[in-house]
Amino acid sequence: MAGTKFLAAIGAALTLAAAAPPAVPPQPVAAPAPAPTRAPNFVVLLADDLALMDLGIYGGEARTPHIDALARRGRMFGRYYSSPLCSPSRAMLLTGLDNHRTGVSTIPEVIPKEHVGKKGYTLRFEPGVTTISARLKQRGYRTYMTGKWHLGHDAGDLPNAHGFDRSFVLDASGADNWEQKSYMPYYATAPWFEDGKPATLPKDFYSSRFLVDQMIDYLGKDDPQKPFFAYIGFQAIHIPVQAPPEFTRKYKDSYREGWAAMRKARWQRAQASGLIPEGAPLADPPKGARRWESLPPEEQALFARHMAINAGMIEAMDHHIGRLVDHLKRTGQYDNTVFVFTSDNGPEPSNPLATSRTMQWWLDNNGYSVSADNWGGKGTYAFIGPEFANAAASPGALFKFYASEGGLHVPMVMAGPGIAPAPPSMAMATVTDIAPTLFALAGGQADADAFDGRSLVPLLTGQSETVRSPEVATGFEVSGNAALFKGSYKLVRNLKPYGDGVWRLFDIATDPSETRDLSKAEPAKFRELMADYRAYAKRNGVLEMPDGYDSTVQIAKNTVRKMAARYWWVLLVAGVFLVALLYGLVRLVRRRGRLRPA
C-alpha cells in the first residue's frame, strides 16, 4: 500500500520543490513479467555520494528525466541500503558479499595502522573472491567498465584481473572532473588506467561525458551477438563538485533559502509521497551544524552556488545516461537490456576549508578556486558541506560514512526484460543483492555460499513482494560505524566526529529519522539485536576500532604518511641542508669565540 501511495502521490508532492520534475502517474501492480527469451544485457550505473531523494522521481530538485523514465519502465526501491562508504559498497556490488569477506572493509584514507594488512582489511579483492563480471564472462558475456574503481591498482588488482574484457578506470576516491589531477593532498595525481595500464585523459575530458563515450566505444568493438555487462562508476557527485554551466545555472535560485528549508521540504515531500509515514519525526541537525541565518551573505551565496552546481552535476550525469540509452535504442539493444541505477552511499559532508589553512594553500597551488562566482567549470572546487549534506539526506539522519539512514539509505532503480513495471517496492534490499540478481537473470545457478545477498528476481517478476523475512538480520560495518536491521528494527552505532560510539535501537518503520532510542524501552529487543550483531561481526571478521578512533584525525595521519613516503627525498634534502646550516653556525660561533680579544 505504501509503495502504491509513493508512486501515485509523488508527482503532487514534488510541487513543494523549487524546481519540480513532472508528475509521475500512478501505475497498477503488473502481472508477473515473462522471462527473457535470450540472455539479457546488463547496464549498471553507479552514482557517487547521491542521496536518497536527489533524483527527480524520488523528490529531488535536480531534473533527471532519463533515470526517471527507467523507474517508470521498471521498479524503484524505497528501502534499499548500501554501505556508508565508497570502496566497500563497490566491492559488495561487484561480488554480492559482505565487504569484510571481499577484503575491502574500508578505504586506505581512513584505515588505522592497527588494521593494515589484516584479513578482510587488505583493501583489495582477496584470493577466492569472484566478481559478477567474472561470473558473467564465464557465461559468454562481454564485460566492460568505465569510471571509478578504487579497489587497488597493484598487480592483479585492476578490473582486467577481475573479469573485465575492457576497462578505463580511476583508482582513487575521487579526482577532478575536467582534468587529470588530484582533488586532495593524499593523491599526487589522478591515477587512471586502461586495461590495466596507466592512461592519459583526453584534453576535452569531462567525467560523465567521457565515461559514457568510452563505454559506447567498447560496446561497438566486439561481437554484437554476445550479451554484455557494462558497469559505469560515475564521479558525479563526489568532491570536487563540477559540471558544465549550461546545467548548473538552472539551479541558481533553488537553494537560497538554505539547508534547514531544504531539509524540511524534502521531509514534507517524503511524507506526501509515502516514502515515509505521515507525521514521522525529523531528526535535529548534527552537532556543530551552523544555522543558515548565522552565515554572512557571502558564505550563504557560496553554499547556495555549490548546491546549484551539485544539482547541475546530477542533471549532467542523467543527460549522458540518456545518450547511452539512445545509443542502445539505435542499435537495437535497449529492449533486451536490464538497467540498474543506484548510489554507493549517502551525501558527502566534507568541508575541506574548515579543517586547516593547509588545504586552502594546496588548492591555491593546484589551480582550484572556491568562489561564489564559479558555475562548475574547470578550476571550480565545490563542496556542499555537512549542513547541506544533512539536508540532502532528508528524511534520514547524518550522511556518508555513518551508519544512520543518511549514510546507508540510497535510491535504486531496475528496469528491463524480466522486470515487471510496478509501484515502488518498500521491501528491504541491499547492495549485496545486485550481483545474485544479475546472475539469476542471466540464467546462472549459484552455489549456496556464493553470495551473501539475495536474488531480487522473485520480487522483480511479481512473484513476491518481500526479499527477506522479518526474522533475518542484515548487518553493515565500515570503520566502526555499524548497523543491523531486523524486521522494522535497526541497531546502530556511529563513531567520532559525528557519533559517540553508543549503540542505539530504533523502529525505522515509524521513526525513519532515528529520533527515539528504544534501547531502554525495549531491552529484550536491544539484547537480541546486539547478539545478532556480534554474530554478524564474528562471521565476517569485523575488527574493533582502536580506542578514540576519529576518521577525520585518521585521514590527516594517513595523508601525512602518504606525503612523507612520496616526498622522502625532499625531507632528506631539507634535513641535509638543516644539518649543514647548524654545522656552519657552530663553526661561526667557535671562530668568533677564538677571535674575541682577551
Side-chain angles (χ1 to χ4, degrees), residues 62-142:
R63 299 171 179 86
T64 54
H66 303 289
I67 300 170
D68 296 355
L70 292 174
R72 294 188 190 100
R73 179 188 175 209
R75 204 81 190 262
M76 57 190 291
F77 288 74
R79 280 201 66 204
Y80 172 84
Y81 291 91
S82 191
S83 100
L85 197 56
C86 49
S87 297
S89 295
R90 292 159 198 274
M92 295 164 82
L93 184 150
L94 285 171
T95 65
L97 298 174
D98 183 84
N99 51 312
H100 306 84
R101 292 187 64 198
T102 70
V104 188
S105 294
T106 184
I107 63 174
E109 291 88 334
V110 300
I111 190 170
K113 60 181 175 54
E114 293 88 343
H115 290 178
V116 173
K118 299 288 181 64
K119 181 174 174 56
Y121 293 77
T122 58
L123 310 188
R124 61 192 300 271
F125 285 139
E126 292 179 353
V129 173
T130 305
T131 61
I132 185 61
S133 46
R135 293 182 189 277
L136 292 175
K137 188 173 181 177
Q138 292 172 353
R139 297 188 63 81
Y141 274 71
R142 299 175 282 151

Side-chain angles (χ1 to χ4, degrees), residues 276-468:
I276 62 172
E278 291 183 12
L282 182 65
D284 292 334
K287 63 180 181 181
R290 299 168 295 173
R291 293 177 61 251
W292 180 256
E293 295 76 15
S294 72
L295 271 61
E298 58 271 18
E299 194 166 0
Q300 289 184 353
L302 176 70
F303 279 99
R305 180 61 54 85
H306 283 188
M307 281 302 295
I309 297 170
N310 191 73
M313 194 175 190
I314 295 170
E315 184 177 338
M317 174 183 64
D318 179 83
H319 168 78
H320 292 293
I321 288 172
R323 293 176 47 242
L324 176 62
V325 168
D326 288 344
H327 169 77
L328 295 176
K329 287 179 177 178
R330 285 195 307 270
T331 55
Q333 301 175 93
Y334 174 78
D335 289 338
N336 193 45
T337 298
V338 172
F339 291 85
V340 179
F341 177 90
T342 188
S343 176
D344 59 348
N345 45 248
E348 168 64 63
S350 296
N351 178 348
L353 300 188
T355 54
S356 71
R357 294 180 181 179
T358 303
M359 187 63 184
Q360 181 64 68
W361 175 88
W362 185 88
L363 293 172
D364 292 341
N365 284 273
N366 283 272
Y368 282 119
S369 166
V370 179
S371 169
D373 295 328
N374 293 332
W375 280 107
K378 188 177 291 188
T380 293
Y381 198 93
F383 48 87
I384 67 174
E387 294 91 355
F388 262 130
N390 185 237
S394 182
L398 294 181
F399 26 61
K400 175 181 176 179
F401 196 65
Y402 297 93
S404 296
E405 292 292 281
L408 302 178
H409 193 186
V410 295
M412 200 272 274
V413 167
M414 292 191 71
I419 299 173
S425 171
M426 300 305 287
M428 182 185 178
T430 76
V431 63
T432 56
D433 297 338
I434 301 296
T437 300
L438 300 187
F439 193 61
L441 288 171
Q445 298 290 326
D447 295 336
D449 61 348
F451 302 111
D452 290 330
R454 301 192 172 196
S455 171
L456 301 176
V457 169
L459 179 75
L460 296 171
T461 56
Q463 299 171 29
S464 174
E465 280 302 311
T466 61
V467 179
R468 292 165 173 81

Side-chain angles (χ1 to χ4, degrees), residues 204-244:
D204 64 346
F205 174 78
Y206 176 69
S207 62
S208 292
R209 180 183 64 234
F210 174 79
L211 299 179
V212 168
D213 284 346
Q214 196 68 27
M215 184 59 72
I216 290 173
D217 182 63
Y218 288 157
L219 290 172
K221 287 187 174 178
D222 292 324
D223 183 0
Q225 300 305 311
K226 295 174 64 177
F228 64 79
F229 170 67
Y231 169 40
I232 303 180
F234 289 97
Q235 289 176 242
I237 45 177
H238 195 283
I239 291 178
V241 181
Q242 301 166 319

Side-chain angles (χ1 to χ4, degrees), residues 10-11 14-15 17 19-24 55-57 59-65 68 72:
I10 197 167
L14 288 174
T15 60
V24 181
L55 300 176
I57 199 162
E61 301 79 23
R63 299 171 179 86
T64 54
D68 296 355
R72 294 188 190 100

